[in-house]
Amino acid sequence: MTTERDALLEAIRAGDEELSTALVEKMDVAARSGCVPAVTQILRGLRPENEWPVFYAGRLAGLACQSTPAAAAKWVLLINRLRRHDFPASSAEILAGRGPEWLGELAHRLAAELDKERKQFEGTPLHYHLVQNLIGLSGCATPTNFGYAIQRLRFGGLTNPDAPILVPIALEVEGFGAWMGVLGLASGLVDMTASGKLDRTALIDQCLGRLFRGGRPHELRGFRRLLDDLALTDDELADRAGDWARLAADADAPTAGDAVQRLRRLIDAGRLDAGLLADTSRDVLARPEKGLVSAQLKHLGQALRSNTDGAGQLLTAVTVAFGHEDNAVQEQAWKLVARHIAAADPAARAQIVEAVAVLTPDLREQATAALGESTPGSERTRTPYQETLPPVVAPQRTAGPPETLPELIGEIVATVAAPHASTVESERALDGLVRFAHRDRAALAAALRSIPAKQWPWQGESHFASGCFPDRLPYPVAGIGVIVFALLLDGFDAESLPVVPPEMSDNGTGFAPQCGHCVFRAAWRARIFEAARAVLAVPPPFLLSAPSWRTGVVDADVLMDRLAEYARLGVTAGPADFDQALLRVRIPSGPERDRLAGAAAALGTAEGTRFAQWLPSGGLTVVEESTGLALPALRDGFTDPFRRLDVLLRKHHDGGPINQDLPDSFLYHQAARPLDLPQWVATLPLVREYIAAQMISTRAGRTDYTYVSDLPLLAAADGPIGPLFHRLLANTLSRGRPDGDMDALLQLVARNEINAKNVGERLIPVNKRGGRQPAPDLLDLVTEIARIGAHTTAWNILAGALPGLLSGSELPRRLGALLSLAADCASTSGATGSIPELDAIANRTGSSQTIKQARRLRQILTEAAR
């Protein structure tokens, strides 16, 4: 045995496939089984220089050594795993002496493994041809698992003798419908039914079953085409009338469309029960697809023309389409009802009168006049329209400062660790650091040192080990991190922190960055540096600028109380902190303002005097100058960088030079950090129009409006709204970004702060050829606004957009749908006025939906104005 084994292994190592198989044939069963582990080891340790000859010899010899079908199947799978390589079909011949039963069991075991192929319809399964040869040698029954069925049909076609057995199995496999369509097998299946190889009735029912099950479009398309090729007879259609009705109601649109057409055949043949047609129609007409609903209405019209029996059932079914969102469908449904209303019985007529209420107001008026009696909907024409708007969201106050040291430490860790901590969280942590440093700086430092090092994101950074300024931390981590770092590092020189952040200095180049990114961030960093110096010297009891509201606003009486406490303690306010407080304070009017001004002046401090002067001046006011919008109040008395907030509109990094002498870390953050609207609003929470101007200017020529998801925050801020805010809102809405943008729009409408028509005017960009096209999501946006019940707002947006759309050199796509929606909104809201640009379309000859809806809109506006 040892000699035989050694000889076999030596032949395998030499890559001699013929000798290896000859040696195996001379061995008995026990000897063969004993060689399997050694052969396996050889194959697992193949070397590149003789890899493939050894592999070929070893795989075949190993197969011949297997004593049972289970072991042989396991060996084939092992070879597949080792090299993902197939056994040639001729490999079965080495097993020819095993007997039919043995070979048949192996064939079925390997056929079952075909079910595990990930891509059933691509490539060649690794052992399919071996299985096929084994079946031929053994004469065993055809395997009936789906994996083998698919491969046999792929490689053997529909003419192979196993096809009648395998086709029903393969039809149930996901993906077979698409593959059948690609290869055009439908005609072959039809031929098989004609020759009697396939049961026609079973094939039809199986196709229907797959359509009921649903699936991907290209998958279902194959089964629909097969049904078309089978050319069902009227009897076959009638026997399955309930199936077509179910598909028409519930299937995907293409399948439902085919089902509707088959039902039409039954209508034409007079073989569809009126009750079933009515029930089916109710389901179909409730679907959103305009084409499908319109087709079903045409079929109902044919049924009503050919036979008036059951007219009441059918007409009440038609009224389901009265509630369709498309006016053209509503109009088609009403015309059908009006044409056959005389055939309706009294009960059906009463239901029709009741259903008229859901028609658009102009159609409802036509229907009321035609029916000659009062309808529930007619009362609506006399009731002033009230649009549905969301409740006005009340402003939210900020949480108070952290009350305990553990609470503060938790806030600091969360803020430092978060790559984009919110402005509110950062402000609260900053104020908490100052407060607790004032109470017991040593205890605060000890608490910070107790935090595990792994919780600080800067651990392991070499520039911290050298004691340099931590300007590489991402904002706002770098902000709070500066103070934490100052407290943790023994001997940190707070006086080395600049009064003006380094990125705001000219550095001898004559250029200081003036973009919103730079200046707003620098304002934050200036406050951080100032707080760090104070924390290591004489910390104030609190910050003057800590917000009272989540938008960043500070109440005037709160600031007055803080200044009074500063005066009592003899504390001098930090210039940057006080500047920020003034920019955030909401100035009251009338006697309250005068009272606060008098109390501030009575404090006898420089800060009190400045606050007393700030109150009657009106605070921060936006002024339009030749250079654009300006904040002239910042020019006197404010420190850098707050003073520079007055001159942002003409310089930004997108169009101006970059100061190459700035720190590398600053340049890196300039390129990587997105626009931070929360910080902008928190810095200037009372001048929304000015912030809108900065945002438009900073992102001029750019399409990545990264601030849009924060639009609700800007909407919640204070200050008057002008044309630039409307433009910004239009730019944001036109990009179809988060739902919060529409919520912000509706909040502004509910608070009567914006003009929706002005927003609409700015929604229409000009294309390269001079034609005006609607913003990508204008129709969807306004449809959603109308759907929630804000028809007046939806109409105002469209009234602003339509003149620009209709005056271009080419008409936009989907204009018919847009005009239909405009007509619906104008009719529902009772809008008046005129759109002169509409006449050019309405006066055209033709019956397209665009022309019809233009005429309808003009008529609604004209009649409403009377």
Side-chain angles (χ1 to χ4, degrees), residues 124-148:
T124 303
L126 288 179
H127 47 269
Y128 164 73
H129 294 296
L130 176 60
V131 170
Q132 199 59 35
N133 211 7
L134 288 169
I135 293 174
L137 289 173
S138 66
C140 66
T142 300
T144 55
N145 59 296
F146 72 85
Y148 176 78

Side-chain angles (χ1 to χ4, degrees), residues 146-220:
F146 72 85
Y148 176 78
I150 292 171
Q151 304 312 323
R152 182 70 175 119
L153 291 173
R154 285 184 64 202
F155 295 102
L158 296 178
T159 59
N160 78 78
D162 299 327
I165 300 173
L166 300 178
V167 164
I169 298 170
L171 285 171
E172 295 300 318
V173 178
E174 192 68 30
F176 188 81
W179 183 73
M180 177 177 62
V182 170
L183 296 186
L185 297 183
S187 59
L189 293 175
V190 173
D191 292 341
M192 291 180 68
T193 61
S195 64
K197 293 180 180 180
L198 275 183
D199 185 291
R200 177 181 173 88
T201 299
L203 182 60
I204 294 172
D205 292 339
Q206 193 167 20
C207 288
L208 280 170
R210 287 305 311 274
L211 293 177
F212 283 132
R213 197 167 84 191
R216 296 182 179 180
H218 60 279
E219 172 79 357
L220 300 181

Side-chain angles (χ1 to χ4, degrees), residues 3-25:
T3 303
E4 291 177 338
R5 176 180 177 276
D6 292 343
L8 174 61
L9 299 181
E10 185 63 29
I12 292 174
R13 292 189 185 100
D16 193 333
E17 185 174 346
E18 184 177 351
L19 178 59
S20 299
T21 55
L23 292 172
V24 173
E25 290 177 355

Side-chain angles (χ1 to χ4, degrees), residues 329-371:
V329 171
Q330 290 190 23
E331 184 178 14
Q332 181 184 3
W334 162 244
K335 287 182 177 179
L336 179 59
V337 169
R339 191 178 301 119
H340 298 280
I341 188 68
D345 56 78
R349 184 182 180 87
Q351 292 182 48
I352 293 170
V353 170
E354 185 72 22
V356 164
V358 300
L359 289 169
T360 56
D362 55 320
L363 284 176
R364 187 166 62 240
E365 187 174 333
Q366 292 180 30
T368 300
L371 291 171

Side-chain angles (χ1 to χ4, degrees), residues 364-418:
R364 187 166 62 240
E365 187 174 333
Q366 292 180 30
T368 300
L371 291 171
E373 55 188 293
S374 177
T375 68
S378 63
E379 300 175 0
R380 299 186 186 184
T381 60
R382 298 190 295 269
T383 303
Y385 169 73
Q386 294 290 330
E387 75 171 341
T388 302
L389 291 171
V392 175
V393 177
Q396 295 181 344
R397 283 194 172 272
T398 58
E403 297 181 356
T404 65
L405 191 53
E407 182 184 357
L408 172 64
I409 297 302
E411 293 242 358
I412 292 172
V413 171
T415 303
V416 171

Side-chain angles (χ1 to χ4, degrees), residues 538-759:
V538 182
F542 44 75
L543 293 178
L544 297 175
S545 59
S548 305
W549 301 87
R550 292 188 65 84
T551 57
V553 169
V554 176
D555 289 330
D557 57 342
V558 171
L559 180 56
M560 182 65 232
D561 292 341
R562 292 173 182 174
L563 288 173
E565 182 65 11
Y566 266 45
R568 187 184 70 79
L569 297 174
V571 176
T572 300
D577 181 36
F578 190 38
D579 282 353
Q580 180 63 87
L582 290 180
L583 298 184
R584 286 177 172 172
V585 68
R586 181 189 286 115
I587 298 178
S589 58
E592 178 64 12
R593 179 187 59 194
D594 297 337
R595 182 189 70 79
L596 288 174
L603 292 177
T605 62
E607 292 82 6
T609 301
R610 188 177 173 195
F611 186 40
Q613 296 171 348
W614 183 257
L615 286 167
S617 72
L620 200 60
T621 304
V622 180
V623 176
E624 186 171 355
E625 298 182 349
S626 59
T627 57
L629 296 187
L631 299 174
L634 299 178
R635 297 169 190 170
D636 298 320
F638 282 84
T639 59
D640 266 340
F642 293 100
R643 185 169 61 249
R644 305 194 190 207
L645 291 170
D646 176 48
V647 288
L648 295 187
L649 287 176
R650 292 184 298 165
K651 288 186 179 181
H652 50 79
H653 274 314
D654 290 338
I658 294 180
N659 187 347
Q660 299 298 331
D661 293 332
L662 295 177
D664 290 341
S665 60
F666 171 70
L667 296 177
Y668 168 80
H669 290 309
Q670 278 300 111
R673 187 180 296 108
L675 191 66
D676 192 357
L677 178 59
Q679 185 63 54
W680 289 35
V681 174
T683 304
L684 298 173
L686 300 167
V687 284
R688 282 183 294 188
E689 181 73 359
Y690 186 75
I691 292 178
Q694 308 308 332
M695 293 164 70
I696 293 172
S697 175
T698 301
R699 308 301 280 181
R702 300 284 293 276
T703 59
D704 53 333
Y705 280 67
T706 54
Y707 52 76
V708 294
S709 61
D710 293 316
L711 188 61
L713 180 63
L714 184 58
D718 289 324
I721 288 176
L724 292 175
F725 189 98
H726 283 85
R727 176 181 166 189
L728 174 67
L729 183 59
N731 287 345
T732 302
L733 293 172
S734 70
R735 283 162 176 79
R737 293 296 183 91
D739 293 339
D741 298 337
M742 193 179 76
D743 295 338
L745 167 69
L746 296 177
Q747 275 292 308
L748 292 167
V749 171
R751 298 201 299 263
N752 199 29
E753 290 186 323
I754 67 163
N755 185 323
K757 186 175 181 180
N758 287 347
V759 174

